[in-house]
Structure formats: C-alpha cells, structure tokens
Amino acid sequence: MDNIQRIEVVKGGGSALYGSDAVGGVINIITKNAVKNENKVDINTGSWGSHNYTLSTQGKENDFSWFVTGGLQKRGHFDYKFDGNSPTMSNSDYNNNSFSMKLKNRFSDSDSVTFGYNHCSVDAGLYNCIGTNSTPNNRLKENFNSYNLTWNFQEDTDVPGYMRFFYNHNWIDFLGDYSTRTMGLDAQYGWILNDDNTLITGVEWHQSNSENIANGGYQDKKITTKSVFLQDSWKFADKWTLVPGLRMDNHSMFGTHWSPKVAINYLAGADTQVYASWGRVFKAPTADDLYYNNYGFVGNPNLRPETGYTATIGLNHNLNESSSVSFSVFQSELHDAITWYGFGGVAYANNSDEKRRGMELAFKQELSQMWSYD
C-alpha cells in the first residue's frame, strides 16, 4: 500500500483503451513517484506469533528519483478451541516476503524512462481439520516476479503517450510445480486534432507460456494476443461529448474479434453530469483457465471465449461544495461465460448465457479538510 498514489475506478464497459474484457469497468492503480527524500520503518507484532516489518525509502536527485519498499510478514501456528481442548494446527505457519522498486529518470519536461520491479514469495502451511484431528499437508510455496520498462512521452499533457515492455513470472509448488510466464509490448499515442477532438490509438502484443511439470500436466503451452485500438473524444455540442472506440483482438487460439465501444456525456449544469456507455465484450480464457493442473484444480482446454455486451447509464450531481451523489444502473449479457466449477476435477466451464443487472447509489461528503465519509 505504501507504493500506491491513488486508485481510479472507471465504471462501465465504454472504453476501448483498457481491453475488450473490461466487462463491468476498470480499477486502475497508479503507483507513487518520489516527491521528497524520506525513509520510513513500520514494525508491528500480534497474536499467533505474528510479526510484520516494512521499510520504505524514496528520494529525488536532479532528474533521477526512486521509490523502494520491502516487507517481511511472519505468523506462527494457530491454536483453536474444540471439545474443551486447545489443540494446535500443526504446519499452519505462514511467511510472506515482498520487495518493490520504481526508478524514474526524466530527460525533459515531457520525456522520462521508468523501471519497475515487484517480488513476492509465500511459504505457507496447509492443513485439513477433521473432527479433533489436524492432519498436516504439504506446504504451499509461491513466487511472483514482475518487471516493466516504460518510456513516457508527452507527459503532463492532455494526451500522454508511452511504450512499455513487461515480463511476469508466477511459480507455484504444491504437490507439483506449475508456472506461468507472461510478457508483452504496449504502446499508446494521442493527438489533439482541434478544440473539440482528441484521438488516442495504441497497439499491444502479449504472450503467455504455461508449464505443469508434475501431475500429468501440459508443457510449453503458449497463447499470443495482438491488439489494436482507436478511441476519439468528440465534443459535438456545447454540453455533449461522444466517445466512440474500436478494438481488434487477434488471439492465437480463437481468431480475430472486433469490439466496438461508445459512451456519451451530457453536462446538464455546472454540478450535474449524465452519462451512458455500451460496448461489446470479448474475453478469452487465460492460460491458467485452460492449462492449470495442480492438486484439486484442473484447467479446461476446451473452454470458449466469453462474448456479449455491457451497458451502463448514470448520473453524478454535486449537492454543494462539500457533498455529492451518484446513481447508475448497469446490465451485461454474456455468452459462454467462464464459471468456477469446483475442486477435484475440471475447475472451469462455460455457461451458455449469463445476465447481470443492478444499480448503485452513493453519497459522499467532506466534513473538513481532514475528514470525509461516503
């Protein structure tokens, strides 16, 4: 959490920028850039032999900045009450070590290069409780590493652009090894055509590789996705803005799919905004959905991609300078929806149809510069 600057929530499926599989919206997490020289240590302890240690350091020197965090989490064995006794769950201890780093170097007011690295390793005991017995089981070991290198250009403008390379490696050992490697290249660029039109376009190339050495699983299963998207923001009247978009995804297993999107915004007044969005959905099963094969969980190589549409209508209104209210209704309809199926066999399956609809009403008020509630 020390790394996070803010979290943006984009409701509805009206954006082509984030992918055709963003059915209900997007949660976009923006990490911090260093703004001052500071070191921070956080140490806490608690019951069950829990100990947590966190260290973070950030700083700037000329055009170079850094933000580095590291953490250790440890927990001992659980005790529990049963039938007047206090047995101990053996093999229930837990260790979680993490490290993250964000390095940034500015070359000008509008150009910079950022390198990011995130690591997490987990060593956890697993157990089965049957009556008064606690049966030890094998330990679960997980290791996650992700790297990214990004060139940012046109920063601090209305149309920032970037080129990014990323590589992720997730490894799990629980009665057998399973690993997934994902790598990709992303690029986005924008133009301000005139006072009323802003155009954004981009390309993506992603490839995942799954391997399951034990349990009779798959080896070297690759999935490649190539995508192109284009989105325009057109203010066609004084209070109206139309945001059409189109995305093309070419999947190595499921072919080419086109996903049109459209959103419209109406500024009814200085304090009131009305919006609506509609978009087609294409969500291919992941490598884990298809090929995962580890104790109690088995992927389904016969899965089909999810297709359908999603729609949202909403209203945002400022009641005064310190309080606001928002209301939205949404609906989505998917064909071949991918559903969790259960343990002890195939873990995923396709539903023929899935319909969702709902509403959300929210109220927010700032009581002072220090306090707010929603």
Side-chain angles (χ1 to χ4, degrees):
M1 291 297 295
D2 282 346
N3 291 18
I4 297 175
Q5 175 181 330
R6 67 183 188 276
I7 299 176
E8 296 177 346
V9 179
V10 183
K11 296 181 182 179
S15 176
L17 276 60
Y18 296 103
S20 57
D21 57 349
V23 179
V26 175
I27 299 175
N28 191 24
I29 301 174
I30 295 91
T31 56
K32 291 179 181 177
N33 291 314
V35 295
K36 57 184 177 180
N37 294 329
E38 180 184 73
N39 301 314
K40 185 166 67 174
V41 177
D42 182 13
I43 299 174
N44 60 74
T45 187
S47 56
W48 314 113
S50 300
H51 306 286
N52 300 315
Y53 314 90
T54 304
L55 169 67
S56 66
T57 177
Q58 63 171 311
K60 292 183 66 177
E61 186 170 340
N62 299 323
D63 294 325
F64 180 74
S65 63
W66 65 90
F67 200 104
V68 180
T69 62
L72 302 175
Q73 289 183 307
K74 298 181 180 296
R75 188 197 68 213
H77 297 293
F78 277 126
D79 296 330
Y80 64 100
K81 300 289 186 180
F82 185 83
D83 199 22
N85 298 314
S86 298
T88 297
M89 288 184 180
S90 59
N91 201 37
S92 61
D93 58 308
Y94 173 85
N95 298 279
N96 185 342
N97 303 327
S98 61
F99 176 81
S100 66
M101 174 173 59
K102 184 177 182 179
L103 309 177
K104 185 172 183 177
N105 192 79
R106 273 192 174 273
F107 299 106
S108 68
D109 292 338
S110 59
D111 291 87
S112 68
V113 169
T114 303
F115 172 75
Y117 170 66
N118 292 281
H119 165 79
C120 177
S121 62
V122 176
D123 181 5
L126 299 174
Y127 46 83
N128 295 321
C129 296
I130 304 174
T132 58
N133 298 320
S134 179
T135 306
N137 213 330
N138 281 21
R139 299 189 66 81
L140 170 67
K141 297 182 179 181
E142 301 176 292
N143 200 306
F144 306 94
N145 292 281
S146 64
Y147 310 81
N148 64 82
L149 181 65
T150 306
W151 170 37
N152 303 287
F153 51 90
Q154 297 181 178
E155 284 190 291
D156 303 324
T157 70
D158 292 334
V159 284
Y162 64 84
M163 293 183 63
R164 178 182 298 121
F165 169 78
F166 69 87
Y167 176 81
N168 303 326
H169 181 204
N170 302 334
W171 170 80
I172 299 174
D173 179 15
F174 176 48
L175 300 180
D177 290 346
Y178 178 84
S179 68
T180 301
R181 293 175 172 86
T182 306
M183 61 186 298
L185 287 167
D186 297 341
Q188 182 174 301
Y189 191 78
W191 300 267
I192 299 178
L193 302 180
N194 51 52
D195 292 340
D196 299 325
N197 279 88
T198 301
L199 192 66
I200 297 177
T201 185
V203 295
E204 299 173 357
W205 178 87
H206 296 173
Q207 185 176 82
S208 61
N209 186 345
S210 299
E211 288 188 343
N212 181 205
I213 299 174
N215 302 320
Y218 301 91
Q219 293 189 25
D220 196 25
K221 286 291 185 178
K222 291 183 179 179
I223 298 175
T224 304
T225 305
K226 294 170 281 187
S227 306
V228 179
F229 59 85
L230 180 69
Q231 180 170 289
D232 183 28
S233 180
W234 175 34
K235 187 177 181 181
F236 63 92
D238 183 42
K239 297 183 178 183
W240 292 87
T241 302
L242 183 68
V243 186
L246 182 64
R247 185 179 181 93
M248 185 278 290
D249 295 290
N250 178 263
H251 196 279
S252 58
M253 293 181 62
F254 304 110
T256 300
H257 291 261
W258 297 85
S259 304
K261 312 268 185 174
V262 64
I264 190 166
N265 292 273
Y266 173 62
L267 193 62
D271 297 315
T272 306
Q273 175 204 14
V274 182
Y275 64 91
S277 66
W278 177 91
R280 298 292 302 177
V281 174
F282 168 71
K283 183 178 181 181
T286 66
D288 287 349
D289 296 339
L290 294 165
Y291 303 122
Y292 191 88
N293 190 348
N294 217 328
Y295 185 75
F297 304 88
V298 180
N300 183 354
N302 297 315
L303 287 175
R304 299 177 298 276
E306 297 180 342
T307 58
Y309 76 90
T310 178
T312 304
I313 300 175
L315 167 73
N316 299 319
H317 178 65
N318 294 324
L319 299 173
N320 50 51
E321 292 183 355
S322 61
S323 59
S324 62
V325 64
S326 63
F327 175 76
S328 64
V329 293
F330 61 87
Q331 178 171 311
S332 66
E333 183 172 335
L334 300 180
H335 306 290
D336 295 323
I338 298 173
T339 305
W340 167 255
Y341 195 69
F343 291 93
V346 175
Y348 298 97
N350 288 109
N351 282 340
S352 57
D353 290 291
E354 177 184 90
K355 296 180 180 179
R356 295 172 183 249
R357 61 181 181 271
M359 56 83 69
E360 181 180 277
L361 176 64
F363 176 79
K364 183 176 182 180
Q365 184 177 31
E366 292 185 1
L367 301 177
S368 68
Q369 292 184 346
M370 299 293 293
W371 291 93
S372 67
Y373 71 93
D374 59 83

